[in-house]
């Protein structure tokens, strides 16, 4: 499909630990279309962050991508040299993290860090000290515009601040504007709002929506929070224990969830409009991924478990246009 920007096909990423092989991502497939926000949701440890790190090429020892394809603009990223991947990572695919301090340099002002990226990506100048003064001034003006784009309060003043002088929400804005300096086609946002309070969280989500709508950037949004998914995503993939169990348009997923795990997740959200006797929860706990359950990995926790569920892993099948489910209840054999 021509509107697909990135396609992940049957990705397996394992970690080789002393305790055994952790099958963190075990046969994940999905695609991200141009100009959409695709959400990946699931509990901690389900493999969503490992999927993101696999896409951007930041899986370190003892981890390894064992098999699969990550096709970006028609090229399988896993077949490129480290040098070619680094170019794509710096320029076309960017990532923002939960804790912006990991990406910001504490000894440089926000302005210097954005100007440095603009000089590198627009002029090919790697060292800010080597750039002519006028060029630096020009890039600084541009950096202020970029801070305005991410709704940074008082950007003319903030540009000369050091990261530690800013609040968590302002640091997150600074990191997003740095990412924008490289004009990425795809932004991966891993729990970008988890560490922020609710008001700031809403502001950062609005910035992500702006980036999609005004700049046409595709976004892969990783979160454990279904309310974040409902707020901004166009489509969503639900992950459980290293597998994708359901993919649908966000509206369809909330309106008509089909996989028993998705149903359980949605029932566990407190409602302000309905009075519930008791909040529902999914019984049992997330499995150990060194020794994952056979067949469907959700079977020990599923109320609909059938004999086949223990034996065969269900395939992701399209049950309605654009709505995919991996469950034997829907013929996923
Ligand atoms: Fe439940 Fe079986 Fe469906 Fe897994 S495949 S979610 S165990 S019904």
């Amino acid at each position: 499909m021509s509107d697909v920007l990135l396609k992940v096909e049957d990705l397996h990423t394992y970690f080789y630990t002393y305790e055994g092989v952790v099958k963190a991502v075990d046969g994940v497939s999905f695609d991200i279309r141009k100009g959409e926000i695709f959400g990946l949701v699931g509990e901690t440890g389900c493999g969503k962050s490992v999927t993101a790190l696999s896409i951007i090429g930041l899986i370190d020892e003892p981890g390894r991508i064992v098999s699969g394809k990550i096709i970006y603009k028609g090229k399988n990223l896993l077949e490129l040299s480290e040098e070619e991947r680094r170019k794509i990572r710096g320029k076309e695919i960017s990532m923002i993290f939960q804790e912006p301090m990991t990406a910001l340099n504490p000894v440089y002002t926000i302005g210097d860090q954005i100007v440095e990226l603009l000089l590198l990506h627009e002029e090919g100048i790697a060292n800010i000290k080597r750039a002519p003064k006028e060029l630096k001034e020009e890039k600084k003006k541009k950096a202020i515009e970029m801070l305005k784009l991410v709704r940074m309060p008082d950007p003319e003043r903030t540009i000369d601040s050091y990261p530690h002088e800013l609040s968590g929400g302002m640091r997150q804005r600074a990191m997003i504007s740095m990412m924008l300096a490289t004009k990425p086609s795809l932004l991966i946002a891993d729990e970008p709002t988890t560490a922020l309070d609710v008001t700031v969280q809403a502001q950062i989500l609005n910035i992500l929506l702006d980036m999609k709508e005004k700049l046409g950037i595709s976004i892969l949004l990783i979160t454990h929070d279904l309310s974040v998914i409902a707020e901004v995503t166009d489509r969503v993939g639900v992950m459980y224990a290293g597998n994708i169990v359901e993919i649908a348009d966000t509206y369809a997923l909330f309106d008509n969830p089909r996989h028993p795990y998705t149903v359980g997740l949605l029932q566990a959200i407190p409602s302000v409009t309905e009075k519930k006797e008791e909040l529902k929860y999914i019984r049992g706990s997330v499995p150990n991924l060194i020794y994952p359950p056979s067949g469907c990995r959700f079977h020990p926790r599923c109320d609909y478990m059938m004999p086949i569920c223990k034996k065969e892993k269900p395939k992701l099948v399209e049950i309605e246009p654009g709505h995919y489910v991996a469950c034997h209840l829907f013929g996923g054999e």
Side-chain angles (χ1 to χ4, degrees):
M1 251 167 74
S2 61
D3 68 342
V4 171
L5 179 69
L6 181 114
K7 193 172 177 60
V8 176
E9 274 180 33
D10 204 20
L11 181 71
H12 293 72
T13 305
Y14 293 173
F15 289 82
Y16 295 83
T17 70
Y18 288 116
E19 287 81 31
V21 181
V22 182
K23 299 178 185 86
V25 169
D26 208 18
V28 160
S29 301
F30 64 94
D31 56 37
I32 302 173
R33 298 172 189 161
K34 290 177 186 158
E36 80 167 350
I37 303 186
F38 184 86
L40 213 44
V41 69
E43 293 161 281
T44 305
C46 69
K48 53 195 192 308
S49 291
V50 175
T51 302
L53 292 171
S54 304
I55 293 171
I56 201 149
L58 290 178
I59 294 292
D60 284 330
E61 289 292 324
R64 200 181 332 137
I65 296 177
V66 179
S67 60
K69 289 181 184 168
I70 300 173
I71 298 168
Y72 173 74
K73 292 186 176 171
K75 278 187 197 161
N76 183 2
L77 297 182
L78 303 181
E79 287 174 350
L80 300 182
S81 67
E82 187 43 44
E83 176 64 22
E84 289 169 314
R85 279 208 85 176
R86 202 175 312 121
K87 274 191 199 148
I88 288 183
R89 177 158 69 231
K91 201 163 160 50
E92 302 208 23
I93 305 179
S94 290
M95 186 156 177
I96 56 172
F97 300 90
Q98 181 178 338
E99 181 36 76
M101 282 309 266
T102 52
L104 296 171
N105 189 328
V107 301
Y108 289 105
T109 64
I110 297 301
D112 278 351
Q113 296 186 55
I114 302 175
V115 167
E116 190 166 21
L117 277 171
L118 287 170
L119 284 168
L120 179 66
H121 287 279
E122 293 182 354
E123 315 294 336
I125 300 173
N127 187 341
I128 191 169
K129 290 186 185 125
R130 296 224 180 101
K133 195 163 174 272
E134 309 76 57
L135 195 58
K136 276 197 270 188
E137 283 306 314
E138 183 195 315
K139 299 298 176 198
K140 188 169 178 183
K141 278 190 196 135
K142 198 164 180 186
I144 292 173
E145 289 310 308
M146 291 171 60
L147 288 175
K148 285 182 186 163
L149 205 67
V150 297
R151 307 178 192 191
M152 179 73 91
D154 198 0
E156 282 83 1
R157 194 184 56 79
T158 317
I159 197 158
D160 294 319
S161 305
Y162 289 89
H164 72 268
E165 296 174 312
L166 305 179
S167 67
M170 287 162 88
R171 283 204 285 263
Q172 197 59 284
R173 285 177 170 82
M175 181 162 67
I176 295 172
S177 55
M178 277 173 64
M179 294 304 124
L180 292 181
T182 66
K183 300 197 186 74
S185 303
L186 175 66
L187 180 82
I188 300 174
D190 190 2
E191 303 276 6
T193 59
T194 303
L196 305 171
D197 71 48
V198 181
T199 334
V200 184
Q201 179 170 321
Q203 292 163 0
I204 298 291
L205 293 179
N206 280 331
I207 294 167
L208 295 183
L209 277 174
D210 275 359
M211 287 169 54
K212 177 189 96 156
E213 277 155 23
K214 294 186 185 156
L215 306 174
I217 295 175
S218 304
I219 298 173
L220 171 60
L221 179 63
I222 310 273
T223 180
H224 66 281
D225 186 341
L226 279 161
S227 64
V228 167
I229 290 287
E231 202 78 33
V232 292
T233 62
D234 298 294
R235 291 189 306 132
V236 54
V238 180
M239 279 194 80
Y240 181 77
N243 299 143
I244 289 209
V245 296
E246 187 158 6
I247 295 178
D249 286 353
T250 305
Y251 182 80
L253 189 98
F254 280 82
D255 191 48
N256 190 17
R258 308 304 287 272
H259 193 281
Y261 176 63
T262 315
V263 172
L265 274 185
L266 288 169
Q267 282 177 343
I269 302 176
S271 165
V272 282
T273 49
E274 284 170 46
K275 253 196 164 172
K276 284 185 183 165
E277 299 276 298
E278 198 182 323
L279 207 57
K280 291 201 174 132
Y281 62 93
I282 304 169
R283 66 183 163 81
S285 54
V286 179
N288 175 336
L289 292 182
I290 295 178
Y291 305 106
S294 57
C296 169
R297 289 186 174 181
F298 188 58
H299 83 249
R301 304 175 75 184
C302 182
D303 293 337
Y304 304 92
M305 206 259 290
M306 305 171 281
I308 189 176
C309 303
K310 281 188 180 177
K311 290 191 207 125
E312 281 180 34
K313 183 176 173 177
K315 291 197 181 86
L316 203 58
V317 292
E318 191 170 23
I319 55 160
E320 279 156 34
H323 196 151
Y324 298 82
V325 182
C327 171
H328 290 300
L329 289 172
F330 302 95
E333 65 270 12

